[in-house]
Amino acid sequence: MNAATQFAALPKVELHCHIEGTMRADTVADLARQHSIDLPTSDVRSLYGYENLTGFLEVFWLVQSMLVTPDDWERLAYESVIDGAEHGLVYREAFCTPSRHLLDGQRLDEIVAALDRGCARAESETGTRCRLIFDIDREFGPEVALAHVTELAALRRSGASGADRVIGLGMDSTEIGIDPTTFAESYALAADVGLRRTAHQGENSPATTIAAAIDVLGCTRIDHGISVFEDSELVARLVDEQLPFTVCPNANVLINPDVCPQLDAHVFPRMRDAGLLATLNTDDPALVGLDLTQEYELCAAAFGYSVDDMVDIALDGVSGSWLDASDAASVSASIMAVAASIPSAT
Ligand SMILES: [Zn+2]
């Protein structure tokens, strides 16, 4: 069995994946036609090319702009789970970042209900489960964030359709020059309605912002977090606490080459060697042109990991998830059962 077959067969979970970043290029083209949106190129596959984070965000925003109606959101969620399941995904906690859409007049209750319908349809076809993390787009500032989290809290409290699929609050987009603690009110409200908390920090921001997200915002997980080694005391503490990091090595190299110029120099193995609970994820599989199986293959090759090492990484994905104990045990058991049948995995 070659590495690709081994890692494709291995059940995998993903904790850092933006649902908008899973949109198929063909779907971008189709929705652009439906909504009479001009694309910058007639070759839709060449859309997913960029040289740095700024260029990536322009493409990300273009993809987001295709989501005009609830049917578009439903289709996105459905195709996202279907495509993940093809590569051994069994469970995902996916970000959705509808700030722009809400500011444009779309309704959060309709977006959440539509995402829920799409996920549910794909779940029934594949068995792969997907739950959602509402991501604040930092670009629009704390007041807009609080307005949107207040709407989300109201949906949770009223038991609105699909609201129970949203299990967490996160924060993405621009990190540079933004103090995460300015979003504290949104995070406090999220805690009040039982949402788990995470934040993108430490991709383009110092270790102090990672500590702030944990200590001030109450985050129990950090997305990226690759600047953590700036603070050895913080590393020691987070090893001790086993706070999960959702790391996306290939996306870092593709989107952020100034910080991560090449995969084999990425800090992911250093994080694991230090004892941090560093999990492996794609970030934006369609936009970075790889799936979760390829992420496993490329990282195994770049970091010299054995199949057993990759099984450990898959199991750590479960440990870092927000599954309850019995669901986590069941997913872990399925990973171990498949691992036992893979040559050289024990
Ligand atoms: Zn991300």
Side-chain angles (χ1 to χ4, degrees):
M1 199 184 285
N2 64 30
T5 313
Q6 289 167 341
F7 298 139
L10 192 65
K12 295 175 285 293
V13 309
E14 183 159 48
L15 309 178
H16 187 154
C17 177
H18 300 266
I19 202 160
E20 300 91 338
T22 69
M23 192 186 290
R24 299 171 183 168
D26 289 343
T27 300
V28 173
D30 199 23
L31 293 179
R33 261 193 310 273
Q34 279 185 38
H35 301 310
S36 303
I37 298 170
D38 286 334
L39 293 175
T41 169
S42 56
D43 175 13
V44 72
R45 283 175 205 288
S46 69
L47 271 179
Y48 290 169
Y50 32 79
E51 292 180 352
N52 52 38
L53 184 57
T54 304
F56 171 81
L57 287 174
E58 283 172 9
V59 176
F60 191 79
W61 292 330
L62 178 72
V63 169
Q64 282 191 325
S65 71
M66 302 299 144
L67 296 160
V68 176
T69 69
D71 284 351
D72 303 337
W73 288 97
E74 179 176 342
R75 175 178 177 173
L76 171 69
Y78 172 78
E79 292 178 351
S80 175
V81 177
I82 293 286
D83 293 349
E86 274 186 21
H87 303 286
L89 181 78
V90 293
Y91 175 69
R92 179 185 274 158
E93 289 166 5
F95 298 115
C96 61
T97 314
S99 306
R100 282 162 201 278
H101 308 87
L102 298 174
L103 290 169
D104 280 347
Q106 291 190 38
R107 292 177 47 144
L108 185 59
D109 59 344
E110 292 183 352
I111 293 172
V112 167
L115 288 169
D116 180 55
R117 285 194 300 275
C119 287
R121 195 150 53 87
E123 284 174 348
S124 70
E125 291 180 23
T126 63
T128 294
R129 291 177 60 199
C130 181
R131 296 194 291 174
L132 300 170
I133 301 167
F134 180 95
D135 249 11
I136 291 167
D137 185 337
R138 271 182 281 241
E139 182 81 11
F140 298 107
E143 285 182 22
V144 167
L146 183 58
H148 293 166
V149 175
T150 300
E151 275 188 67
L152 178 64
L155 295 182
R156 296 262 307 173
R157 288 188 173 117
S158 67
S161 175
D164 57 350
R165 191 179 290 277
V166 182
I167 59 166
L169 179 71
M171 182 158 65
D172 63 31
S173 188
T174 314
E175 290 180 23
I176 297 170
I178 293 185
D179 175 0
T181 66
T182 57
F183 294 87
E185 237 181 308
S186 288
Y187 274 77
L189 178 54
D192 281 349
V193 291
L195 292 170
R196 311 295 286 265
R197 288 161 287 169
T198 186
H200 283 55
Q201 292 298 159
E203 184 183 19
N204 279 300
S205 53
T208 49
T209 66
I210 297 173
I214 296 165
D215 293 331
V216 180
L217 303 184
C219 291
T220 57
R221 202 158 81 189
I222 291 293
D223 305 310
H224 295 301
I226 57 178
S227 67
V228 68
F229 287 108
E230 292 171 2
D231 183 343
S232 56
E233 283 183 20
L234 182 63
V235 172
R237 172 189 158 192
L238 299 182
V239 168
D240 190 44
E241 295 177 5
Q242 286 294 283
L243 183 133
F245 287 78
T246 68
V247 189
C248 311
N250 278 290
N252 289 154
V253 173
L254 287 164
I255 298 169
N256 215 356
D258 295 343
V259 177
C260 300
Q262 58 193 62
L263 185 59
D264 58 9
H266 194 278
V267 296
F268 182 73
R270 187 178 169 201
M271 294 173 89
R272 292 189 60 84
D273 288 348
L276 292 166
L277 183 60
T279 67
L280 193 56
N281 310 272
T282 61
D283 211 350
D284 298 280
L287 271 64
V288 299
L290 52 80
D291 56 58
L292 195 52
T293 294
Q294 289 169 318
E295 185 78 41
Y296 272 55
E297 286 166 29
L298 292 167
C299 287
F303 306 144
Y305 284 149
S306 66
V307 172
D308 289 346
D309 292 330
M310 300 311 293
V311 170
D312 287 343
I313 288 169
L315 290 168
D316 282 348
V318 182
S319 301
S321 78
W322 291 331
L323 285 166
D324 65 28
S326 70
D327 284 346
S330 153
V331 175
S332 293
S334 74
I335 293 172
M336 293 302 294
V338 173
S341 69
I342 296 177
S344 82
T346 53

